[in-house]
Amino acid sequence: MPAKTGKDYIEGLKKANNNVYIHGDRVDDVTEHPAFKNVIKSMANLYDLQYEKPEKMLYTSPTTGDKVGMTFLQPRTIEDLIKRREAMQEWARTSGGMMGRSPDYLNAEVMAMGVNNSLFAEGNPQFAENARNYYEFARENDISLTHTLIHPQVNRAKAQHQQKDANVALHLVEERPDGIIVDGIRLLATQGGITDEILVFPSTVKKAGELDDPYSLAFAIPNNTPGLKFISRESFDYGKSEWDHPLGARFEEGDAIVSFENVFVPWERIFVCGNSSVCNRTFKETNAVVHMAHQVLAKNIVKTEFVLGVALSIMDAIGIDGFQHVQDKGSEIMLTLETMKSHLYRAEHNAKLDKSGTMTPDFAALDAARNWYPRVYPRLTEIVRVLGASGLMGIPTEADFNHDEIGPIIHRGLQGKNLEGYERVQLFRLAWDMTLSAFGSRQTHYEYYFFGDPIRMGMTYFDNYDKEPFKQYIEDFLKKTSGVNASK
């Protein structure tokens, strides 16, 4: 079937009736529930955009001839890579990059896993076939995915098999002729319950080897699978208007704990089962991490453009753009943006074909960007807060402006250099929702931990970086210097 429309997406969620809990209740219909209905509309808009801009957002399926989502494309040329990235950024611009788990993130992962599937055959030849088949299934049906990656934070000083309750984390319970039974908890499914299926990723590196085999799993199942529950955190969509909460009222994706209560997974949906070695190598050897990082960098460029636009608008609104320290702060955001663009250009134009014939970006550029952005994004939001100053505290609501008595007062009293009070406060509410609201604070925390603890990531980056040429450079330089002195 061809790519989804927004209507298809919403009807699919209604029919699925996923097992979602929030605020102490089970949700009868996520498409109508106050915590989810607005972000579901935003997701539906993404799918509708595919048909509004088909030349950019769709391509012809190599197997069915249907028009399918461009973000599923297996790129075979640099031009393909750029086309796919432009589609990703088209989606990102609808939210200013504030929807970090729009469908393209996992579409890229499923593609990479599906075409670079030989690793999975080490566990079972069927698993490689499963990965390829699942990519085609997801592409042809425009499946929306959530995913779960990490174990509960019980005792990080111990391996999973050493925990006092070793069965709290998702683990293999039983192998049967038709599939497996799994049980336990996984974190942290963004858009959990408002998507079609869940992809259980291979979890973080299994240092205990075979002792961690029961926790070494990768599979995909429908979100309405019996025994599967999504326990959502408090919603940061407080039912306010889009004027009062311009981001939270539209793009609050939510995050969920995922409970697997003796869930059955058929063999044809399994990619890794009880093999810590395959689990540890999946992201790297399938190039999934490369294509996911490519999507993240593309999204973060749009996000930085959005932050810059807000910062510049604030400067202009209250006439502070002529001050030296203000211009310097604007330059920080501009330098971040241009650096990210440079990483993207290098990643795409240094891309090479991998063994599957997939044009794969230069990971060195992407790895630098994905390590750097979590460290710099909190600074970008801090700059917006500093520029907004007390203006981010004095932000009446739209209802205040509509009040006959006080509306005219605040409309006049909160005017800017070239904006009336209503328009200036609207801008400052956007800046507040991006930086200081529950939604904005979650965005900063989310970006900081996007790929994991930045310190641990930095240690891995340091360990893997090719340091020898630089040390050799200094050794050779010192030898020449020593030679000059000795000759005297």
Side-chain angles (χ1 to χ4, degrees), residues 252-488:
E252 155 63 330
E253 296 174 284
D255 306 289
I257 298 166
V258 188
S259 173
F260 297 80
E261 298 173 14
N262 289 311
V263 170
F264 171 71
V265 185
W267 283 117
E268 60 268 22
R269 287 303 197 96
I270 297 170
F271 319 120
V272 179
C273 182
N275 190 316
S276 58
S277 174
V278 173
C279 190
N280 289 340
R281 293 148 52 207
T282 293
F283 287 116
K284 182 177 181 180
E285 293 193 20
T286 63
N287 282 329
V289 69
V290 184
H291 291 279
M292 292 160 69
H294 184 230
Q295 184 274 343
V296 171
L297 176 53
K299 180 266 295 181
N300 285 344
I301 285 173
V302 172
K303 194 166 194 172
T304 307
E305 290 173 341
F306 191 74
V307 174
L308 178 59
V310 170
L312 293 174
S313 298
I314 288 174
M315 293 178 196
D316 190 51
I318 56 176
I320 59 174
D321 49 326
F323 294 109
Q324 189 177 48
H325 77 92
V326 171
Q327 293 180 358
D328 184 62
K329 289 177 175 62
S331 295
E332 277 193 63
I333 306 176
M334 293 170 183
L335 289 168
T336 300
L337 175 60
E338 295 306 318
T339 301
M340 296 288 280
K341 288 180 178 179
S342 296
H343 283 308
L344 181 66
Y345 186 89
R346 176 186 167 192
E348 291 178 347
H349 287 81
N350 285 356
K352 292 181 173 57
L353 290 171
D354 66 15
K355 62 183 180 181
S356 71
T358 305
M359 186 58 70
T360 302
D362 176 6
F363 187 55
L366 298 176
D367 203 16
R370 76 183 187 123
N371 272 272
W372 182 59
Y373 198 73
R375 300 166 184 253
V376 74
Y377 184 76
R379 172 58 180 163
L380 303 186
T381 58
E382 179 188 28
I383 288 171
V384 173
R385 289 192 291 105
V386 170
L387 295 176
S390 61
L392 296 180
M393 305 290 284
I395 46 173
T397 66
E398 188 175 27
D400 293 321
F401 281 98
N402 292 333
H403 191 277
D404 290 340
E405 182 179 349
I406 66 173
I409 296 172
I410 57 177
H411 186 62
R412 180 187 178 198
L414 296 181
Q415 64 184 292
K417 183 184 78 171
N418 55 12
L419 292 176
E420 297 295 337
Y422 182 88
E423 289 77 19
R424 190 192 76 79
V425 173
Q426 185 180 32
L427 169 63
F428 274 66
R429 289 201 71 92
L430 172 60
W432 164 82
D433 208 12
M434 187 174 71
T435 61
L436 284 170
S437 69
F439 177 91
S441 297
R442 184 262 182 191
Q443 285 288 324
T444 301
H445 199 65
Y446 174 83
E447 291 296 351
Y448 189 74
Y449 286 105
F450 195 101
F451 279 104
D453 177 7
I455 305 303
R456 290 183 63 186
M457 285 182 60
M459 291 171 62
T460 301
Y461 186 82
F462 181 87
D463 288 342
N464 293 338
Y465 198 87
D466 185 3
K467 298 178 279 292
E468 291 308 314
F470 305 98
K471 294 192 289 185
Q472 188 63 50
Y473 174 30
I474 299 305
E475 183 179 335
D476 293 344
F477 182 86
L478 291 173
K479 283 180 180 178
K480 291 178 182 179
T481 303
S482 176
V484 170
N485 291 335
S487 64
K488 294 180 180 179

Side-chain angles (χ1 to χ4, degrees), residues 9-10 13 18-23 25-44 189-195 230-239 248-256:
Y9 163 69
I10 291 173
L13 289 180
N18 298 328
N19 211 12
V20 181
Y21 294 78
I22 191 168
H23 304 160
D25 294 312
R26 188 192 184 280
V27 178
D28 292 328
D29 182 351
V30 290
T31 69
E32 299 295 335
H33 192 281
F36 304 106
K37 66 179 182 179
N38 291 328
V39 69
I40 286 173
K41 288 178 183 176
S42 296
M43 284 279 284
T190 302
Q191 293 197 4
I194 65 166
T195 45
F230 294 92
I231 306 168
S232 301
R233 62 158 169 79
E234 173 189 2
S235 174
F236 300 149
D237 179 352
Y238 298 122
R250 288 187 283 176
F251 309 119
E252 155 63 330
E253 296 174 284
D255 306 289

